[in-house]
Amino acid sequence: MEKKPKIILSSQDLERLEALLYALGNNLSPDKAALLDELGRAEVLEPQEIPPTVVTMNSTVRFTVENKEEFCLTLVYPKDVEGQADRISVLAPVGSALLGLSVGDSIAWPMPGGVVKVKIEEIVYQPERAGEYHR
């Protein structure tokens, strides 16, 4: 199996994501379990220390799936998706895959139809890079 790339999370994102998963209770689907695994292997930094090339919560990311389809979406908490076509929930399979990766990183990620390769092409917007540490 392909080695997973290093991921970096802000302490603020980790705290909020752990609270979100805790609030979901024992209803741990495979997607939520995959996110929990990612949180467990992450390097955690203070928001001000996050490199500008890392996907954090509320980042707008240009990425490819299987080197074919290209998307530009903002990674958000489930409550912030509501009918917004330009957003993806961190609880969606690809959303969990994006979190913490850096520009140029790719990861093989399980999806309902099989495993796909997701690659980060560009961080269009990152809150930390913009100096927004208390979002």
Side-chain angles (χ1 to χ4, degrees), residues 3-39:
K3 186 177 185 253
K4 290 184 177 183
K6 175 178 96 167
I7 63 170
I8 299 172
L9 293 179
S10 78
S11 56
Q12 183 179 48
D13 286 349
L14 178 62
E15 185 177 299
R16 290 178 179 171
L17 290 166
E18 286 177 337
L20 172 66
L21 290 171
Y22 179 78
L24 295 171
N26 293 330
N27 181 18
L28 204 59
S29 71
D31 295 340
K32 294 170 196 146
L35 176 58
L36 193 59
D37 287 345
E38 289 296 278
L39 298 182

Side-chain angles (χ1 to χ4, degrees), residues 45-58:
L45 301 174
E46 290 305 308
Q48 297 84 344
E49 299 171 340
I50 296 291
T53 56
V54 172
V55 179
T56 60
M57 291 304 300
N58 299 303

Side-chain angles (χ1 to χ4, degrees), residues 14-133:
L14 178 62
E15 185 177 299
R16 290 178 179 171
L17 290 166
E18 286 177 337
L20 172 66
L21 290 171
Y22 179 78
L24 295 171
N26 293 330
N27 181 18
L28 204 59
S29 71
D31 295 340
K32 294 170 196 146
L35 176 58
L36 193 59
D37 287 345
E38 289 296 278
L39 298 182
R41 70 181 196 86
E43 176 183 349
V44 181
L45 301 174
E46 290 305 308
Q48 297 84 344
E49 299 171 340
I50 296 291
T53 56
V54 172
V55 179
T56 60
M57 291 304 300
N58 299 303
S59 290
T60 301
V61 185
R62 190 170 59 80
F63 63 96
T64 55
V65 176
E66 294 292 325
N67 294 324
K68 297 176 195 157
E69 291 184 87
E70 185 172 284
F71 301 89
C72 187
L73 299 171
T74 302
L75 182 64
V76 298
Y77 296 96
K79 67 179 180 58
D80 298 323
V81 173
E82 293 194 34
Q84 302 289 329
D86 62 344
R87 297 181 183 177
I88 185 167
S89 169
V90 69
L91 292 182
V94 171
S96 295
L98 297 173
L99 183 66
L101 293 179
S102 296
V103 173
D105 284 349
S106 61
I107 190 169
W109 199 256
M111 300 281 287
V115 175
V116 298
K117 185 176 179 181
V118 178
K119 182 177 180 190
I120 307 300
E121 302 292 340
E122 177 186 12
I123 309 278
V124 177
Y125 168 80
Q126 182 207 61
E128 291 81 2
R129 184 172 66 200
E132 298 174 17
Y133 302 115

